[in-house]
Amino acid sequence: LTGHRAHWEVGPRPFTDLAAARTELERIAQDPGARVVDPATRGTKRLPCVIEGLPGTRYDDVAQAVDACHAAGFDEISFGAGL
């Protein structure tokens, strides 16, 4: 797609480079403060990654975001209302 540019937001931080976004995801995945109580096990688990495609988002953009979340160590990925 000519002129197509994607951007990612990890928490409050915007990124135009997926590798930089993945580095931030990895940092968050390792942060003990980014864990929540898992009601099923009463232990803790990582927060889920939520991917929300906005108008103009291509399927490939979403697939790359899913891959980045998995590579960073996130097990639970959900999709926002835009997809």
Side-chain angles (χ1 to χ4, degrees):
L1 213 76
T2 303
H4 176 77
R5 291 179 37 175
H7 77 273
W8 296 266
E9 294 177 11
V10 180
R13 298 187 60 198
F15 295 91
T16 56
D17 176 60
L18 184 58
R22 184 182 338 220
T23 298
E24 179 66 2
L25 286 167
E26 290 168 352
R27 184 193 68 74
I28 292 169
Q30 298 306 315
D31 182 354
R35 298 185 71 83
V36 295
V37 174
D38 183 349
T41 65
R42 295 204 168 121
T44 62
K45 65 178 183 176
R46 288 184 180 98
L47 290 168
C49 275
V50 178
I51 298 171
E52 184 168 356
L54 301 175
T57 301
R58 299 182 332 193
Y59 180 81
D60 185 55
D61 300 329
V62 174
Q64 289 180 45
V66 169
D67 290 345
C69 289
H70 275 295
F74 289 90
D75 302 318
E76 186 179 341
I77 299 173
S78 60
F79 300 95
L83 294 176

